[in-house]
Amino acid sequence: MRIGLLTEGGYPYVSGDARLWCDRLVRGLEQHEFDIYALSRSERQEDEGWIQLPPQVSRVRTAPLWMAEDDGVVHGRRARRRFAECFGELAAAVCAAPAVLDGSEASGGVTASEASRAVVADRFGNALYGLAELARDEGGLVGALRSEGAVRALEHACRAPGALRAARTARVPDLLSVAAHIERALRPLSLDWYEDDGLGSVDLCHATAGGEAALPGLLALHFAGVPLLVTEYGVQLRAHYLASSAAEESSAVRALLAAFHGALAAEVYRRAALITPGNTHARRWQERCGADRAKLRTVYPGMEAARFAEVGERADGSGCADPDTLVWVGRIEPAKDLISLLHSFAEVRKEAPKTRLRIVGAPADGPEGALYVAHCKALAAQLFPDEAEGVHAVGDNPVSFEEIGGPEVPSLAEAYASGAVVVLSSVVEGFPISLVEAMFCGRATVSTDVGAVVEVIGGTGLVVPPRNPRALAEACVALLRDPERRARLGAAARARALELFTVEQNITAFHGIYLEIVSRSPVRRLVVDDAGDPLPFGVPAEVHVPGRWTEARLMVTGRPRWAAGAPVRATAPLPAGEGA
């Protein structure tokens, strides 16, 4: 099977999101061939280069999202008219106000709001594919999307009856900001990835995120009928909402961009063959954005358990340097709420004066990360100014800030092994990776109830409300005073992690999903070997069985879509009996 892996800001680059799990997936499915189509986020990311790729990666094509030079395409009168119509429709769909959730019924038992959303979704999708067809026929759309005509179309849509209330207040600077953002998001429309020798030649597109990463998959589906699989371990729309709430933008800009990203997410979910959220928290977000429940399959991220085996399998179940030590591991940033953790630790010290807290991790990138670390260290010094037992002795602060690789914490596994209880104090969390790592190490945990924490823990640790230092302290003290309970919870946590969160279960799940999607997709081409003969089992046998999945994909001309196109020569014959 030939997979087109679609990434944005990650694999195959050295730095970025979803890099590790993509690499593990590709290496684990060595029986398949992978073409990588990657969108980069910054010049620095491109300068850092790629990781070493396995031999099953046959092609890598990249394009920047962080910049786009003017392609020099000059559209004629007819092309300009097509652009104005398509972009005007897209802007109108973005600016359309949602119907009131009044519960009134439309025809067929569908509420009026659902019918309204369906109309907006069709309008947005038709406009999006119209722009894509224009880009394919006439050249890139970079200049057109930056043009004064695009800004005027946005302004007209904002002033139209029924537009979003916040959009009606948009001024020229707001419209310019929104137009620039939409141009960046729609840059994949201008790429030359969708021909028969590109994404049109793969058996399946697997987008490793929603949003811009999935947009090439939508176009491959539109132009060549390639089925689309979408995986989201962190929902892109949620990430956009969190980022926009912190940005200094007007309410009109925030409303328009939220509407645009919401419409794009809804189109991705509507067209995808299957959607694989990484946890129930992400699944709920996808359902609220219009994803069909029948398409959703939860697939947990796969992590390497072998890194933590030595710590997790120690016979005594403790393996910690000090049974009175709490450990926090992660990236130091405001979302982790170390401020509440430090105030909580002050309460812990009142009940258990010998307890120590080790904070292991590096600051987030940028000056804000360094500033937050400095603030946390200053607070620790303020809360614990002098812990000496005698009046003539120098105090030792019970809070330490350390990084992986030092003499006391040489490895990540040793960081978890250094404490009796691992603490997570976040106020915002998607899939808690550090929590799973602690579970692999057989550690008892105390966590805040955010994101997918409860789903991951599953009763093998204590969970408290976020931003509640007293509750966090009480849970920590309860475990510090009960070593037998710590051991039971740690053993149960390790067993749960080994069952649900390993690389092996992740690879097995996606292997089955790949086969399921391709088996329900019609054959779009004839696969031949080096001699020009049909390749046996080059496509799954299920596609030869008549069914609704084949009957539904006829071309407008009446010819089956899977019969279109010239034969494609296989790069290497597959063994007889091997699937797609």
Side-chain angles (χ1 to χ4, degrees):
M1 190 186 305
R2 191 175 184 185
I3 310 298
L5 195 65
L6 313 177
T7 69
E8 189 262 317
Y11 191 73
Y13 295 102
V14 171
S15 62
D17 300 335
R19 174 178 53 85
L20 290 177
W21 84 262
C22 286
D23 188 55
R24 293 165 183 164
L25 177 69
V26 172
R27 293 181 185 277
L29 295 176
E30 59 184 359
Q31 68 270 44
H32 299 306
E33 181 182 355
F34 286 85
D35 291 350
I36 311 298
Y37 291 81
L39 301 170
S40 65
R41 287 183 182 169
S42 66
E43 185 177 9
R44 176 184 176 185
Q45 185 178 52
E46 292 197 355
D47 291 341
E48 289 176 344
W50 303 344
I51 64 173
Q52 186 175 1
L53 299 174
Q56 55 264 39
V57 175
S58 58
R59 173 192 294 179
V60 178
R61 300 186 68 177
T62 65
L65 276 183
W66 48 275
M67 58 84 69
E69 297 180 357
D70 194 341
D71 46 26
V73 175
V74 179
H75 292 150
R77 181 182 303 175
R78 182 176 300 178
R80 291 197 301 271
R81 186 183 304 117
R82 284 177 62 186
F83 174 80
E85 292 174 356
C86 293
F87 190 81
E89 279 292 292
L90 185 137
V94 169
C95 293
V100 179
L101 297 173
D102 56 3
S104 60
E105 298 296 321
S107 60
V110 179
T111 64
S113 60
E114 291 173 345
S116 176
R117 286 196 296 270
V119 170
V120 172
D122 286 336
R123 195 175 187 183
F124 180 88
N126 292 336
L128 183 68
Y129 301 127
L131 290 172
E133 291 169 359
L134 175 61
R136 184 185 61 174
D137 296 341
E138 303 290 341
L141 298 179
V142 174
L145 290 170
R146 293 176 173 179
S147 66
E148 183 179 351
V151 178
R152 288 181 176 177
L154 274 174
E155 182 179 22
H156 178 75
C158 290
R159 306 292 185 260
L164 292 167
R165 180 177 301 177
R168 299 174 195 170
T169 65
R171 300 183 178 182
V172 172
D174 299 328
L175 297 173
L176 290 172
S177 178
V178 172
H181 188 98
I182 292 178
E183 182 273 321
R184 179 188 182 278
L186 296 184
R187 284 175 192 171
L189 298 183
S190 301
L191 300 176
D192 58 348
W193 289 357
Y194 314 109
E195 302 301 327
D196 291 339
D197 61 344
L199 283 173
S201 66
V202 303
D203 298 300
L204 168 69
C205 282
H206 185 178
T208 60
E212 291 92 336
L215 190 50
L218 285 179
L219 301 189
L221 174 63
H222 177 72
F223 289 130
V226 179
L228 173 63
L229 168 66
V230 177
T231 296
E232 283 190 306
Y233 287 134
V235 179
Q236 292 294 98
L237 186 59
R238 174 178 177 270
H240 168 76
Y241 287 159
L242 292 174
S244 64
S245 63
E248 297 180 358
E249 296 174 332
S250 69
S251 60
V253 172
R254 291 197 299 269
L256 288 171
L257 294 184
F260 171 78
H261 285 282
L264 181 57
E267 182 65 17
V268 169
Y269 297 152
R270 184 170 67 153
R271 299 296 184 184
L274 285 178
I275 307 163
T276 55
N279 52 72
T280 302
H281 180 67
R283 183 179 182 131
R284 288 196 296 266
W285 267 88
Q286 292 168 341
E287 289 181 3
R288 288 181 62 86
C289 295
D292 184 357
R293 290 185 178 182
K295 294 182 179 182
L296 296 172
R297 307 282 180 84
T298 301
V299 179
Y300 293 117
M303 300 176 61
E304 294 182 3
R307 300 172 59 195
F308 311 100
E310 182 180 354
V311 172
E313 294 174 358
R314 286 174 182 170
D316 60 0
S318 61
C320 59
D322 186 349
D324 296 320
T325 297
L326 302 176
V327 176
W328 180 96
V329 180
R331 185 171 64 173
I332 303 176
E333 58 185 354
K336 305 302 182 181
D337 197 15
L338 294 186
I339 303 302
S340 290
L341 176 61
L342 291 170
H343 284 289
S344 173
F345 183 62
E347 297 294 324
V348 171
R349 293 276 293 183
K350 294 177 182 178
E351 301 293 331
K354 294 183 179 180
T355 308
R356 303 185 65 83
L357 172 62
R358 302 182 71 169
I359 296 175
V360 182
D365 296 334
E368 295 82 3
L371 183 62
Y372 186 71
V373 171
H375 179 55
C376 292
K377 290 182 177 180
L379 179 60
Q382 180 182 356
L383 291 173
F384 312 100
D386 190 351
E387 295 293 328
E389 295 182 359
V391 294
H392 300 293
V394 178
D396 181 21
N397 197 302
V399 180
S400 62
F401 291 81
E402 307 167 57
E403 292 191 25
I404 302 295
E408 297 184 358
V409 190
S411 67
L412 187 60
E414 290 301 325
Y416 292 109
S418 65
V421 178
V422 175
V423 185
L424 183 145
S425 55
S426 303
V427 293
V428 176
E429 194 77 49
F431 186 84
I433 293 176
S434 63
L435 205 56
V436 177
E437 292 171 342
M439 293 168 70
F440 278 131
C441 292
R443 286 291 163 278
T445 58
V446 176
S447 312
T448 49
D449 186 5
V450 293
V453 165
V454 172
E455 181 182 0
V456 168
I457 287 295
T460 66
L462 303 186
V463 180
V464 301
R467 290 195 177 98
N468 191 329
R470 183 177 295 277
L472 189 64
E474 291 176 355
C476 290
V477 170
L479 289 184
L480 288 170
R481 289 177 172 175
D482 195 341
E484 293 184 0
R485 187 184 186 189
R486 292 201 309 266
R488 289 196 306 269
L489 290 176
R494 176 167 169 76
R496 179 176 176 81
L498 290 174
E499 178 184 1
L500 297 178
F501 307 126
T502 62
V503 173
E504 291 75 16
Q505 67 82 22
N506 183 270
I507 292 173
T508 300
F510 278 116
H511 177 65
I513 287 172
Y514 284 177
L515 293 178
E516 177 184 349
I517 293 177
V518 174
S519 70
R520 293 178 176 270
S521 301
V523 182
R524 295 173 290 105
R525 60 192 185 279
L526 177 63
V527 182
V528 297
D529 59 19
D530 292 336
D533 297 325
L535 184 63
F537 301 102
V539 292
E542 289 90 337
V543 298
H544 299 291
V545 180
R548 65 172 182 264
W549 58 81
T550 57
E551 296 172 355
R553 296 178 67 93
L554 294 178
M555 295 183 66
V556 177
T557 60
R559 292 190 295 111
R561 186 157 194 155
W562 56 89
V568 176
R569 187 172 304 277
T571 56
L574 293 175
E578 185 171 316

